[in-house]
Amino acid sequence: MRKFLTVLLTLLSSAIYSQNFLSWQYSDRYFSFTIGTGASTYFGELNSRNSINDELSLFNVGIEARLLNRVGARIEASYFSFNGSDKNAADSSFQRQRNLSFDSRNLHFQFHAIYYLKPYQGDYYKRWNFDPYLFSGVGYMKYNPTAVLGGERYALREAQTEGVEYKKWVTTVPVGLGGKFKVNEFLNVNLEVSYHFAFTDYLDDVSNTYGTEFRNTTSQLLSDRKDEVGVVNPEFYDQIEPGAQRGNPGNNDSFLQISLKAEIYLPPDLFSRKNKAIIKKPSAY
């Protein structure tokens, strides 16, 4: 991760200083571009220990705008993965006997309203060396839980392991906090932590009861995988059958993301045909 950030910052700095339109004498800049990476952790039926993932599994890009003294807005697109497995549950537990798992690759689009804890300094290049903020908004995510059976990967939504047909897209509500660390006039490094509430309990394909009717034998095997680990706990083993409780429909799934981003402030005329700068004499810091 350190090597990735070093290369990213070097390339961004080189691009910034190699182009004349990024002179710090330009008029104020209210728009910025972000690109980043990080880790994603899912919370639901298949993460009984609520363990946090620290592996890079998130990549995002976004455009942010400073609207008012303490208010901003951002649109962001991200691609990330998360997973869960009963193999990580406590020995002899129901989850260990249930023996379910999933892996999901996700595409997420979000809109954030941002509240900055410090007031705007008057010009982008006079911003704070550390600028903390809070944010929330709404997202729309495409998710696809899958699992491996007999060396082959199957889409669990299509298998209908609980006899339920759920949608490919889900609405999310993110809440988070972050901080911008100023590197130079044009560049920040941002650290963010966000928690995302999903309006579904099927991010992991586990929510209610074991299916009673199946499309084929493969769907049935994906639904009930207790025999792959044998009898871990006789009581729980006997409870697992068609129609029995498989998950907890009372709690929707959610996920946590920790991300590190590079943020570049964009000239106001970057996309104009003439690309002429509006030059003014900068105020002293």
Side-chain angles (χ1 to χ4, degrees):
M1 183 174 179
R2 183 178 299 175
K3 292 182 178 179
F4 171 82
L5 291 174
T6 300
V7 173
L8 178 61
L9 293 175
T10 299
L11 292 175
L12 291 175
S13 298
S14 298
I16 287 171
Y17 286 111
S18 66
Q19 300 187 50
N20 184 53
F21 66 78
L22 287 173
S23 167
W24 73 300
Q25 293 179 319
Y26 282 177
S27 62
D28 202 10
R29 306 180 185 191
Y30 303 103
F31 292 91
S32 59
F33 171 77
T34 62
I35 182 171
T37 184
S40 297
T41 300
Y42 132 92
F43 295 103
E45 283 85 352
L46 301 188
N47 186 2
S48 60
R49 296 180 183 270
N50 290 326
S51 57
I52 303 296
N53 176 36
D54 59 359
E55 297 180 357
L56 292 182
S57 57
L58 164 68
F59 300 94
N60 53 46
V61 295
I63 296 290
E64 184 175 316
R66 190 81 179 227
L67 304 178
L68 300 172
N69 187 32
R70 293 179 182 263
V71 178
R74 175 172 62 196
I75 55 173
E76 185 171 278
S78 60
Y79 178 81
F80 63 97
S81 64
F82 49 52
N83 57 70
S85 176
D86 281 337
K87 288 182 173 60
N88 300 321
D91 294 340
S92 299
S93 64
F94 169 76
Q95 291 85 355
R96 190 68 184 87
Q97 184 66 78
R98 185 176 57 184
N99 191 42
L100 298 176
S101 64
F102 87 104
D103 184 275
S104 184
R105 301 289 188 269
N106 315 289
L107 182 63
H108 200 193
F109 300 97
Q110 301 176 73
F111 170 80
H112 296 157
I114 305 170
Y115 178 76
Y116 302 96
L117 301 182
K118 294 181 178 181
Y120 193 51
Q121 290 284 72
D123 286 297
Y124 77 99
Y125 54 84
K126 293 188 289 185
R127 63 190 183 276
W128 303 96
N129 289 327
F130 173 65
D131 195 5
Y133 56 93
L134 306 174
F135 64 92
S136 185
V138 64
Y140 201 44
M141 184 176 79
K142 183 178 182 181
Y143 65 108
N144 183 33
T146 64
V148 175
L149 176 67
E152 297 290 333
R153 183 168 293 278
Y154 295 91
L156 296 173
R157 179 187 293 107
E158 297 176 3
Q160 295 189 14
T161 57
E162 297 185 358
V164 175
E165 184 178 357
Y166 50 89
K167 297 180 180 179
K168 297 180 179 180
W169 290 84
V170 62
T171 301
T172 64
V173 174
V175 292
L177 55 88
K180 299 172 182 281
F181 298 87
K182 182 179 178 181
V183 178
N184 56 39
E185 288 81 4
F186 317 111
L187 180 65
N188 288 337
V189 171
N190 303 344
L191 177 63
E192 286 187 0
V193 179
S194 58
Y195 194 87
H196 302 255
F197 299 90
F199 286 86
T200 183
D201 192 31
Y202 279 103
L203 293 184
D204 51 14
D205 189 63
V206 181
S207 177
N208 208 323
T209 59
Y210 284 88
T212 56
E213 297 181 1
F214 301 96
R215 293 182 171 184
N216 48 50
T217 302
T218 299
S219 294
Q220 184 174 5
L221 292 174
L222 288 168
S223 174
D224 181 358
R225 311 192 69 167
K226 66 179 182 181
D227 288 325
E228 295 180 26
V229 294
V231 181
V232 173
N233 184 308
E235 180 183 357
F236 293 139
Y237 183 90
D238 293 337
Q239 289 178 7
I240 296 176
E241 59 182 7
Q245 200 65 35
R246 192 169 185 257
N248 179 11
N251 293 323
N252 283 340
D253 296 329
S254 57
F255 56 96
L256 173 76
Q257 293 186 329
I258 301 173
S259 61
L260 193 62
K261 305 176 181 180
E263 179 181 23
I264 308 173
Y265 284 83
L266 302 175
D269 61 342
L270 179 63
F271 301 106
S272 67
R273 293 183 179 180
K274 295 182 180 180
N275 196 28
K276 291 183 178 179
I278 303 175
I279 301 177
K280 69 176 183 179
K281 184 177 180 181
S283 301
Y285 281 82

